Amino acid sequence: MVSESDRESDREPDRESDRESVSEPDSGTGAGAGVGVGSGRANNPARTSVWLDRQTPSRSRRSESPAGLDRNRITEASVRLLDADGLAKFSMRRLAAELDVTAMSLYWYVDTKDDLLELALDSVYAEIAPPREDADWRDRLRDLARSYRELLVRHIWVSPLAGTFLNIGPNSMLFSYAVQDVVRATGLSLERQTGALSAVFQFVYGFGTVEGHFKARCDATGLTQDEYFQQAMGTIRAQPHLRQIVETSDDLMAARGGKTVEEMRERDFVFALDLLVAGIEAVRDRTGSPAR
């Protein structure tokens, strides 16, 4: 639990960063993808999670909860702020202003900013639709991969948080279970299933992260993705020491196909995913495991 002095520190701009996660992101998905080390909980960092802390937040400052405020409303506002301003600018102070309450009111429902980030992270995993139960495992895998990619692009703050926290909230776990069910249905032997899961979803994690940041960069400049791409390529071609590198890739780019950046990216994603599916099938057939 946070102490009174911990709560006061959130009022001071130069000390608020002390309450953020200090672990380095680890690119991954699902439970155990990474551990965020926040202040005010147990010394064991593997237990540093709002989902593992069964204690209620400290309520010593007020005798009753703020009217009209609840954890769901706080989480929804956190997602809106993260989408609008990004992870770096997110703070308890900004969130309180968004909700038109005092910053101290938030501590009725959470102990730290890390709690809010975990809650926001898990809430958006609910946007991933469950795969079609009657579909072939290949189609279910593609559906989950595409939904995860879209999530990472839509909420670019998800990728660093997914690699920082445990990802054991209810929505995240439902996604993990769905992924595991699909991988089991491939017919791969048990010892190969985690490798297949990593190959597919860490590929999607990286692809969606890069795509999301590129889109955000274009939006920030006021240019379309195609306009930004053309300007960037023109700048590169104007540099003598870079021109030759670009020119050697012209044939490759032409063969790739697609008239727009989004079309080219989509072709790459679909083909890369097809390669991974084919690889899973090849390994399964070589080891003789039946598909389900």
Side-chain angles (χ1 to χ4, degrees), residues 15-86:
R15 295 183 62 187
E16 186 167 330
S17 61
D18 293 341
R19 312 203 42 197
E20 298 181 9
S21 294
V22 296
S23 65
E24 291 296 325
D26 169 32
S27 300
T29 63
V35 178
V37 184
S39 61
R41 293 202 192 98
N43 291 329
N44 179 2
R47 290 192 58 82
T48 305
S49 171
V50 70
W51 304 110
L52 295 175
D53 187 355
R54 297 300 180 184
Q55 302 179 66
T56 57
S58 175
R59 301 182 178 182
S60 60
R61 282 187 174 263
R62 298 196 54 170
S63 59
E64 57 185 37
S65 61
L69 203 61
D70 57 46
R71 182 174 273 195
N72 286 338
R73 186 181 169 206
I74 292 171
T75 301
E76 290 170 359
S78 297
V79 171
R80 288 198 303 272
L81 279 182
L82 287 163
D83 285 343
D85 299 335

Side-chain angles (χ1 to χ4, degrees), residues 124-271:
V124 298
Y125 273 99
E127 298 173 15
I128 298 178
R132 297 162 290 171
E133 293 184 3
D134 58 345
D136 180 79
W137 69 264
R138 299 162 188 80
D139 293 327
R140 284 186 285 153
L141 184 63
R142 290 185 177 97
D143 286 347
L144 284 170
R146 184 171 296 281
S147 293
Y148 186 44
R149 169 194 170 192
E150 291 171 352
L151 179 74
L152 293 165
V153 174
R154 189 162 53 244
H155 307 291
I156 62 172
W157 48 271
V158 163
S159 56
L161 294 187
T164 298
F165 294 115
L166 286 173
N167 298 284
I168 55 173
N171 294 310
S172 177
M173 293 300 290
L174 285 174
F175 174 57
S176 293
Y177 292 149
V179 170
Q180 291 171 30
D181 283 343
V182 172
V183 173
R184 278 193 293 270
T186 64
L188 283 170
S189 58
L190 193 62
E191 69 272 14
R192 299 178 190 275
Q193 289 178 15
T194 55
L197 187 153
S198 296
V200 174
F201 287 93
Q202 290 197 30
F203 152 68
V204 178
Y205 176 94
F207 195 101
T209 297
V210 172
E211 180 181 0
H213 283 282
F214 178 76
K215 184 178 182 300
R217 191 180 309 123
C218 296
D219 291 343
T221 63
L223 300 173
T224 67
Q225 294 185 52
D226 294 319
E227 290 169 340
Y228 186 95
F229 177 74
Q230 293 300 328
Q231 287 194 19
M233 293 302 292
T235 301
I236 293 172
R237 290 179 187 279
Q239 304 297 316
H241 65 292
L242 297 175
R243 187 186 305 126
Q244 184 177 359
I245 298 174
V246 175
E247 289 175 349
T248 58
S249 66
D250 283 344
D251 290 342
L252 183 64
M253 295 288 287
R256 177 195 212 181
K259 296 180 179 179
T260 68
V261 169
E262 292 187 62
E263 288 175 357
M264 290 187 288
R265 187 191 296 122
E266 182 66 15
R267 285 170 181 256
D268 285 347
F269 181 80
V270 170
F271 183 64

Side-chain angles (χ1 to χ4, degrees), residues 104-117:
M104 294 310 302
S105 299
L106 301 176
Y107 291 112
W108 261 83
Y109 304 95
V110 294
D111 276 331
T112 68
K113 188 168 74 173
D114 274 1
D115 288 353
L116 287 174
L117 295 176

